Amino acid sequence: MKAAPYENEDAIQSLLESHPEVLAGDQFAGEETRRWALVAREVEVPDGEGGSARWSLDHLNLDQDAIPTLVEVKRRSDTRSRREVIGQMFDYAANGPSYWAIGDLQTSFAKTHADLSSDSIETLQKLFGDGVDAEAYWPRVEDNLRNGRIRMIFVVDDMPPELLRIVEFLARQMRDAEVYAVEIR
């Protein structure tokens, strides 16, 4: 096979939607395997309490530990993949966790996974296994959001060294939030 660039950003997003397990990359070696569930693609991010949707996050995922994971996708050919993507992610991370209504996220999650089950507890168990405390899951998501316990993942098709250095620097500096970069060729 010969490597070829992705046709567009949507191709990468579709891949992530179908195979969220690629988000783990090799970042979580030694940890329990992350299991991911997509809340929605193109999640609106408000700019204030009751504010309008000012931004749109590519993907919002959750893992089995109820950690919200913000995913921003860029192709290397997009010159914004170096600096602007960092600013974009910080806009999302600073505003989404503060202003997303947990009920709206639950509704988006239910719509995204309507094919699995109409029962949210059953859906969570199908995605994360029987070990998940489905009753406590959404309150934990909300607590994690409000307390800044989030994960930010930059997904690119070809990792610019400048972006990797920024992500590595941020990862060392962050206390409650995690930041990663994943290359998907």
Side-chain angles (χ1 to χ4, degrees):
M1 289 183 119
K2 184 178 177 183
Y6 288 95
E7 190 173 313
N8 53 42
E9 192 176 297
D10 185 63
I12 302 171
Q13 287 193 39
S14 294
L15 173 70
L16 290 174
E17 184 174 8
S18 300
H19 301 283
E21 66 275 6
V22 302
L23 287 174
D26 59 3
Q27 323 279 355
F28 304 100
E31 285 187 29
E32 178 185 357
T33 301
R34 295 288 97 201
R35 287 169 283 165
W36 308 95
L38 180 67
V39 173
R41 283 178 66 169
E42 301 302 331
V43 177
E44 294 180 347
V45 182
D47 61 359
E49 192 72 45
S52 63
R54 183 167 179 187
W55 304 284
S56 180
L57 173 67
D58 289 338
H59 285 219
L60 177 61
N61 287 66
L62 298 168
D63 71 6
Q64 71 268 25
D65 296 324
I67 303 291
T69 302
L70 291 67
V71 179
E72 185 62 20
V73 176
K74 290 287 182 255
R75 293 185 317 144
R76 186 175 180 126
S77 61
D78 183 341
T79 57
R80 297 175 300 165
S81 68
R82 290 175 184 84
R83 290 192 182 132
E84 191 174 315
V85 70
I86 299 293
Q88 280 181 295
M89 182 67 87
F90 281 172
D91 281 335
Y92 308 150
N95 289 281
S98 296
Y99 303 121
W100 279 322
I102 197 69
D104 293 345
L105 296 181
Q106 285 178 280
T107 299
S108 294
F109 182 85
K111 286 180 185 174
T112 299
H113 299 286
D115 62 322
L116 287 179
S117 173
S118 60
D119 179 277
S120 64
I121 292 174
E122 187 177 323
T123 300
L124 287 170
Q125 290 173 335
K126 284 183 179 180
L127 292 168
F128 296 132
D130 292 334
V132 68
D133 182 352
E135 294 291 332
Y137 189 81
W138 287 103
R140 285 180 56 212
V141 170
E142 184 169 33
D143 183 62
N144 286 333
L145 280 170
R146 302 303 178 245
N147 289 296
R149 287 186 298 270
I150 61 171
R151 185 178 295 115
M152 296 169 276
I153 300 180
F154 297 92
V155 176
V156 296
D157 60 345
D158 188 18
M159 184 66 64
E162 303 88 357
L163 177 61
L164 183 58
R165 275 194 299 277
I166 292 168
V167 168
E168 289 171 342
F169 170 79
L170 291 171
R172 289 190 306 271
Q173 305 306 315
M174 299 275 185
R175 187 187 55 178
D176 292 326
E178 301 171 31
V179 60
Y180 301 96
V182 175
E183 181 179 74
I184 302 176
R185 291 184 175 238

